[in-house]
Amino acid sequence: MKEVLGDRKAILLFMLPALLIYIVILLVPIVWSSVYTFYEGSLIKGFSFVGIQNYIQLFNDSNFFSSLWITLKFTLIVTTGQVFLGLMLSLLYVFYIKRASFLIRTLVFFPVVLPTVAIAQLFAKLFEIAPNYGLVNSVLTAFHLETWVQAWLGQPETAFWILCIMEIWKAMGFYAVILYAGLMDVPEDVLEAAKIDGAKGWKMTQFIILPLIKPILISAIIFSLSGTLKVFEQVVALTGGGPGKSTTTLSVYMYQHAFTNGNYGYGSTVALFLLFMTLVVTLIVYKVSWKDQT
């Protein structure tokens, strides 16, 4: 075995299939998409070379900046909600419910395995106003709060927040399970020593538990950031990017240009910007976490 591991040709031979698959699946589409950014048109209309015109259009497009702002706002709110509630749930599992947490963990994790379209339909029915009131408007009516009854998904101010709530609810069980696994690795004797020294509640969490599960916490944040920056099917299934453009994220904006308007070049430019933005955000999180460790 040592002879094989010491042979660079043998290592290269073993790695080559995986490397080729990685290049074909991941890098080739990125390079292909980058080439499209210098063209306009589609497979049906044909392509024409436009140089950097798509990039100039991108930085002069007010709708693009509107979608960018919506994406960043959505990412900040949903990532905070998913990781924070996931952490609270994992603490609840480990320190309060303990072994009886299996049923609660299963129920909270259940939305993760549900199809996004089914969840979007569920939320659409919950906040429905016509032809019949959904659960939310019915409850408001029952408590004589008729002035609060409204078309929740028909207004820009409320549609965005319902989209955020739906995404947080759907994924918080996933982050609770990840952080629960991290908490299970926290040494029991460390917790007992902290209790003897008088640490409890939030102080125990802040000074003992969070530093010990920091690598898992950083991974959870990166998972959530990459998922929320690229959010697409949740928006399409619940609001379709509307009303107006109030929930049009960068992914939806890219789709509209590339596939609805048939402009692959500009759609690819938006997609490339999204790729670099995700990469930069991930590197920043890594760098900040690395600084704290050194």
Side-chain angles (χ1 to χ4, degrees), residues 176-230:
V177 168
I178 289 179
L179 295 168
Y180 172 78
L183 285 174
M184 294 301 287
D185 285 337
V186 175
E188 195 67 35
D189 54 340
V190 173
L191 297 177
E192 290 300 325
K195 285 179 185 173
I196 292 170
D197 289 339
K200 59 181 180 181
W202 176 243
K203 281 191 175 178
M204 166 90 83
T205 304
Q206 184 181 1
F207 296 110
I208 306 296
I209 295 172
L210 288 183
L212 289 173
I213 65 166
K214 191 173 179 181
I216 299 285
L217 195 59
I218 295 296
S219 299
I221 291 171
I222 290 173
F223 279 145
S224 181
L225 282 173
S226 63
T228 49
L229 282 171
K230 298 179 295 185

Side-chain angles (χ1 to χ4, degrees), residues 250-281:
L250 277 182
S251 297
V252 176
Y253 192 62
M254 179 273 294
Y255 178 85
Q256 288 173 348
H257 273 279
F259 300 104
T260 306
N261 300 338
N263 189 348
Y264 285 18
Y266 192 63
S268 297
T269 310
V270 176
L272 199 64
F273 179 89
L274 183 58
L275 172 72
F276 278 109
M277 189 173 73
T278 307
L279 187 65
V280 168
V281 170

Side-chain angles (χ1 to χ4, degrees), residues 3-285:
E3 290 181 3
V4 174
L5 293 176
D7 187 345
R8 291 186 177 180
K9 289 182 180 176
I11 293 172
L12 184 62
L13 188 65
F14 284 124
M15 288 180 61
L16 196 59
L19 195 61
L20 285 175
I21 292 171
Y22 178 80
I23 290 172
V24 170
I25 292 177
L26 189 69
L27 295 185
V28 169
I30 292 174
V31 174
W32 196 273
S33 186
S34 303
V35 173
Y36 271 132
T37 62
F38 297 102
Y39 289 83
E40 69 173 6
S42 67
L43 292 173
I44 298 172
K45 297 176 185 173
F47 292 97
S48 56
F49 183 75
V50 293
I52 60 169
Q53 185 58 42
N54 285 325
Y55 291 96
I56 295 172
Q57 182 183 344
L58 186 78
F59 291 107
N60 289 289
D61 185 354
S62 60
N63 288 328
F64 164 75
F65 285 106
S66 170
S67 298
L68 176 61
W69 167 241
I70 290 166
T71 303
L72 292 175
K73 194 166 59 166
F74 178 84
T75 299
L76 182 64
I77 294 167
V78 174
T79 296
T80 304
Q82 287 176 343
V83 177
F84 178 75
L85 290 177
L87 178 63
M88 292 298 109
L89 284 168
S90 63
L91 291 170
L92 187 71
Y93 297 157
V94 174
F95 295 107
Y96 294 97
I97 306 178
K98 297 182 179 178
R99 292 184 179 177
S101 69
F102 176 75
L103 179 62
I104 305 294
R105 274 185 284 144
T106 305
L107 290 173
V108 174
F109 189 80
F110 185 60
V112 178
V113 298
L114 285 177
T116 301
V117 174
I119 292 176
Q121 282 299 307
L122 174 68
F123 271 73
K125 290 292 179 188
L126 278 175
F127 292 93
E128 193 174 51
I129 190 167
N132 300 304
Y133 283 178
L135 179 63
V136 173
N137 283 331
S138 297
V139 170
L140 290 172
T141 305
F143 284 94
H144 304 291
L145 297 169
E146 286 84 357
T147 53
W148 289 17
V149 172
Q150 56 191 297
W152 297 93
L153 291 169
Q155 304 173 119
E157 302 80 18
T158 49
F160 175 79
W161 286 102
I162 292 168
L163 182 65
C164 292
I165 292 168
M166 185 185 84
E167 185 57 13
I168 292 171
W169 178 79
K170 179 179 183 295
M172 66 181 183
F174 173 74
Y175 296 100
V177 168
I178 289 179
L179 295 168
Y180 172 78
L183 285 174
M184 294 301 287
D185 285 337
V186 175
E188 195 67 35
D189 54 340
V190 173
L191 297 177
E192 290 300 325
K195 285 179 185 173
I196 292 170
D197 289 339
K200 59 181 180 181
W202 176 243
K203 281 191 175 178
M204 166 90 83
T205 304
Q206 184 181 1
F207 296 110
I208 306 296
I209 295 172
L210 288 183
L212 289 173
I213 65 166
K214 191 173 179 181
I216 299 285
L217 195 59
I218 295 296
S219 299
I221 291 171
I222 290 173
F223 279 145
S224 181
L225 282 173
S226 63
T228 49
L229 282 171
K230 298 179 295 185
V231 63
F232 176 74
E233 68 268 26
Q234 296 90 329
V235 180
V236 173
L238 185 66
T239 64
K245 292 187 177 297
S246 61
T247 58
T248 301
T249 59
L250 277 182
S251 297
V252 176
Y253 192 62
M254 179 273 294
Y255 178 85
Q256 288 173 348
H257 273 279
F259 300 104
T260 306
N261 300 338
N263 189 348
Y264 285 18
Y266 192 63
S268 297
T269 310
V270 176
L272 199 64
F273 179 89
L274 183 58
L275 172 72
F276 278 109
M277 189 173 73
T278 307
L279 187 65
V280 168
V281 170
T282 305
L283 288 175
I284 290 172
V285 174

